[in-house]
Amino acid sequence: MNKYILLSLLLIITSSLNSSFSQQYSFEELIIAKETNPQIYIEAKRAAINQELPVSIKIPGGILIDVIKVENDEILYSVIKNLLNPFSNGEILTYNQVMQKYDLTDAEINWGGMINNEQPENVATQLLLIPDWTNDNVLSFDPITGNLVNANYIPPNPGNLASPKHALLNVNGFISVSDQITDLVQKFDTSGNYLGIYAPAGGVNNNILDNLRGHAYRPNGNLLVTVGSGANTNAVPEFDLAGNYLGNFIAIGAGGLNSPFCVLFRTSDVLVTGSSSDAAHRYDLNGTYINNLITGVQFPQQIIELPNGNLALAIFSTPSGLGIYDSNGNQLNFFTAVTGLRGVYQLPSGNFVVTNGAGLHEIDGTNGSLIRTIYASANLQYISLVDYSTIPVELVSFSANVNGSGVELNWATATETNNQGFEIERSADGFNFSQIGYVPGFGTTTEPKSYSYTDQSVTSGTYYYRLKQIDFDGSFTYSGVVEAEVALPTEFSLEQNYPNPFNPATKIEFSLPVDAQVKISVYNLVGEKVAEVVNEDFTAGNHRIDYNASQLTSGVYLYKLEAVDVTGNNYTSVKKMTLLK
């Protein structure tokens, strides 16, 4: 048989098999499944990259093609042909079917990374932040015009972001991003650099967070996160400013809450949308259920309060669109020019920008008609305004490093407003903190500032540190928590006293690899004992003794360490010190 005829037959057979895969699922079923459990989408992305196939394709004329599911090692793609109404006339195809059906000559193809990484500096003080599932990044837009500012504001962070849903500004000056697949709320600075895990403190804990969606902050700064799977499904857990779990702000299933997606704080209540309970549930400010404010909506997602007190609700499933309600939940308008909605924000003009499975769109705030499609992308999520001008102190780094017998803390700020200073707090368990020091701030400055503090009062073990930044008016915020592991010494040692020369006080440090009885004595140069500094038992570790020599005259002295462990082994060391009065 001619090889070209054979190849044609193979293509026909393959196309027929591929067609059978794609016909097992309806377009809408897979789109909704992807929304509630993005794991199937993440698996499809990984498989596409491993098979060197596209993750997404943009075809001129307004067709968006995106991976959506793996079936028997075959990659299935969702094809959105109507950017405003993604469920309309969409279809599921394999890559072979895509190539057979569409001309990809002029298409923009994403093979698993950003198309263009050359982006402007993150300099604006106000931005709209919108996460994108396709590239696992966060984009920024102008909050006045809605125009794109930076398509890579927070760049992809392999292993840290896998399905970012919601980005918010924390009172401590960092960006928090809730990520559905990693089951974490992650931290980024205002330049888009990754800072680490925010919640749960200590890392993934699926008994607390699993398949999380939107998040919010209580007036006291505590973090709330919506949970869609796992042991805590249908709850809204609460975390303190350091990311420690405090329990559930809204109990599992309270008021019929099912599959929560978004949390909105108002003056006297809290609203939570439930995608499976088809409602915006209403709770008091302590998380106790009151009633259902809005009912009968199919898969409600982001809900926002408008400047006039009305509400705007992005509704994902059919009948889909943007619902406008008064403060009591009575519907005022229902705009359907754009459907399949996830996120919503109102521009100062009164128009709305909304996200769906095809990008970011602007619609008229009065009649709901389409103004324009601002940005085409298959997976834009919630929209949040961040205003960096409200940050009193923008902390950009905080670290702890073991240095000799102490722990050195270093931190830096980008800007400061009315910053009185920082209390340094330490904990042995990561939960109960106490103050160990204070460093004054620079008041108000737009210049970067650096700080340091060394904790010398440590032995061996794990220590946790945080900063309590205090304004001149007494208000304060906490930093995240950093950790330092102080190891046991491997040998006996006696350090040089400091300061030296001294008058009249100095410090003497020594290290013990095991528990021991320690005696430290002071002698003059003719060998006469003139003082006994300490004579007691010490545990293994690094130690520091304060010595006051006010009873001695100026001169050179010897100080001697004698240590005896439980087995009777002896260690002796002698050093000189100089007293200058």
Side-chain angles (χ1 to χ4, degrees):
M1 182 181 291
N2 185 290
K3 65 179 182 180
Y4 297 107
I5 297 175
L6 179 60
L7 180 60
S8 298
L9 287 173
L10 288 173
L11 286 173
I12 292 171
I13 294 171
T14 301
S15 176
S16 175
L17 290 173
N18 290 342
S19 178
S20 67
F21 286 143
S22 62
Q23 295 305 316
Q24 293 180 34
Y25 309 96
S26 75
F27 179 84
E28 188 165 345
E29 284 174 342
L30 281 185
I31 293 294
I32 292 175
K34 168 185 170 182
E35 203 73 14
T36 55
N37 182 14
Q39 184 65 45
I40 60 171
Y41 171 68
I42 300 302
E43 291 171 355
K45 280 180 60 178
R46 291 170 180 162
I49 293 170
N50 289 337
Q51 295 181 31
E52 298 184 348
L53 295 177
V55 169
S56 63
I57 304 169
K58 295 181 184 179
I59 299 176
I63 296 177
L64 288 180
I65 302 173
D66 192 36
V67 295
I68 196 165
K69 183 176 173 61
V70 181
E71 182 72 24
N72 297 332
D73 294 325
E74 186 78 47
I75 311 297
L76 301 182
Y77 291 81
S78 62
V79 181
I80 294 176
K81 305 174 186 178
N82 187 327
L83 300 185
L84 306 182
N85 302 290
F87 290 127
S88 176
N89 202 30
E91 59 182 340
I92 304 296
L93 299 177
T94 66
Y95 186 52
N96 283 341
Q97 292 171 326
V98 168
M99 291 190 296
Q100 293 168 14
K101 191 167 185 176
Y102 296 100
D103 181 3
L104 304 185
T105 303
D106 298 320
E108 184 180 284
I109 301 178
N110 183 343
W111 298 94
M114 290 296 295
I115 300 300
N116 179 9
N117 286 324
E118 297 298 323
Q119 299 294 343
E121 294 290 329
N122 299 333
V123 296
T125 58
Q126 287 192 335
L127 293 169
L128 297 180
L129 298 187
I130 308 179
D132 183 359
W133 274 2
T134 299
N135 296 302
D136 298 330
N137 71 329
V138 178
L139 301 87
S140 64
F141 296 82
D142 189 306
I144 306 299
T145 65
N147 295 335
L148 176 69
V149 174
N150 190 338
N152 209 14
Y153 183 80
I154 293 179
N157 289 264
N160 298 324
L161 291 180
S163 54
K165 185 72 176 179
H166 198 188
L168 290 175
L169 179 64
N170 182 279
V171 294
N172 285 324
F174 61 82
I175 301 297
S176 57
V177 180
S178 51
D179 191 88
Q180 280 190 261
I181 291 299
T182 63
D183 298 323
L184 293 167
V185 180
Q186 307 275 21
K187 293 171 57 176
F188 299 83
D189 68 21
T190 57
S191 295
N193 300 306
Y194 181 63
L195 298 178
I197 294 170
Y198 181 33
V204 174
N205 185 336
N206 290 137
N207 290 322
I208 303 171
L209 292 183
D210 190 2
N211 188 13
L212 59 159
R213 287 83 179 261
H215 65 291
Y217 289 101
R218 294 187 69 178
N220 65 1
N222 284 355
L223 170 71
L224 303 181
V225 187
T226 56
V227 179
S229 300
N232 218 15
T233 186
N234 303 328
V236 179
E238 181 175 3
F239 303 82
D240 67 17
L241 294 171
N244 299 304
Y245 177 51
L246 301 176
N248 288 339
F249 175 74
I250 294 176
I252 294 174
L257 180 64
N258 194 338
S259 193
F261 262 78
C262 181
V263 178
L264 170 65
F265 270 86
R266 299 195 296 179
T267 302
S268 58
D269 59 17
V270 184
L271 303 181
V272 182
T273 58
S275 69
S276 295
S277 45
D278 298 332
H281 304 266
R282 180 169 172 249
Y283 304 84
D284 67 21
L285 295 178
N286 294 313
T288 301
Y289 176 69
I290 300 174
N291 58 24
N292 289 348
L293 190 74
I294 300 171
T295 59
V297 285
Q298 300 297 310
F299 205 140
Q301 292 217 36
Q302 188 173 21
I303 186 170
I304 63 171
E305 185 174 23
L306 306 179
N308 62 3
N310 289 341
L311 300 167
L313 176 61
I315 302 171
F316 183 74
S317 295
T318 307
S320 175
L322 180 64
I324 308 298
Y325 303 84
D326 67 19
S327 60
N328 295 315
N330 301 304
Q331 190 175 94
L332 304 175
N333 279 303
F334 190 63
F335 300 141
T336 59
V338 184
T339 60
L341 301 189
R342 293 163 171 161
V344 57
Y345 178 80
Q346 188 177 38
L347 299 173
S349 65
N351 291 342
F352 293 96
V353 287
V354 293
T355 60
N356 67 359
L360 178 69
H361 316 276
E362 182 179 356
I363 62 176
D364 188 280
T366 302
N367 57 35
S369 61
L370 177 71
I371 303 294
R372 58 175 176 150
T373 293
I374 298 171
Y375 187 84
S377 172
N379 285 299
L380 296 187
Q381 301 294 327
Y382 289 178
I383 308 172
S384 300
L385 174 69
V386 297
D387 185 354
Y388 298 130
S389 66
T390 64
I391 303 172
V393 175
E394 185 180 354
L395 187 69
V396 295
S397 66
F398 179 37
S399 63
N401 298 287
V402 178
N403 185 4
S405 61
V407 176
E408 184 177 292
L409 304 175
N410 293 284
W411 65 99
T413 62
T415 62
E416 298 182 15
T417 303
N418 298 321
N419 179 24
Q420 177 180 321
F422 300 89
E423 289 184 0
I424 295 90
E425 296 186 350
R426 187 181 69 193
S427 169
D429 58 11
F431 294 95
N432 301 299
F433 286 84
S434 58
Q435 181 182 349
I436 60 170
Y438 176 82
V439 176
F442 283 89
T444 298
T445 177
T446 58
E447 298 295 324
K449 299 296 180 182
S450 298
Y451 298 86
S452 65
Y453 177 87
T454 300
D455 180 11
Q456 296 287 357
S457 58
V458 293
T459 56
S460 61
T462 301
Y463 295 88
Y464 303 87
Y465 298 90
R466 70 182 183 187
L467 303 174
K468 181 180 180 181
Q469 185 274 315
I470 306 173
D471 287 349
F472 287 114
D473 64 3
S475 59
F476 61 88
T477 57
Y478 287 103
S479 71
V481 175
V482 295
E483 179 181 335
E485 180 73 32
V486 180
L488 281 174
T490 58
E491 59 185 19
F492 290 96
S493 67
L494 176 64
E495 306 301 327
Q496 183 64 54
N497 68 299
Y498 66 94
N500 189 47
F502 66 98
N503 177 30
T506 189
K507 300 178 188 298
I508 300 172
E509 291 186 352
F510 58 94
S511 299
L512 307 173
V514 295
D515 296 351
Q517 181 172 350
V518 174
K519 180 188 292 186
I520 298 177
S521 304
V522 179
Y523 298 84
N524 61 26
L525 291 182
V526 297
E528 296 174 332
K529 182 176 178 180
V530 296
E532 185 172 281
V533 180
V534 68
N535 186 2
E536 59 184 88
D537 293 334
F538 285 84
T539 59
N542 301 303
H543 301 276
R544 182 180 65 185
I545 301 297
D546 293 320
Y547 172 56
N548 191 307
S550 58
Q551 80 281 8
L552 301 179
T553 60
S554 296
V556 177
Y557 295 86
L558 303 174
Y559 62 101
K560 179 181 179 181
L561 169 71
E562 298 174 273
V564 181
D565 65 22
V566 292
T567 63
N569 293 320
N570 294 298
Y571 171 80
T572 301
S573 181
V574 178
K575 291 186 180 294
K576 289 182 179 181
M577 60 169 59
T578 302
L579 174 62
L580 292 179
K581 289 188 174 181

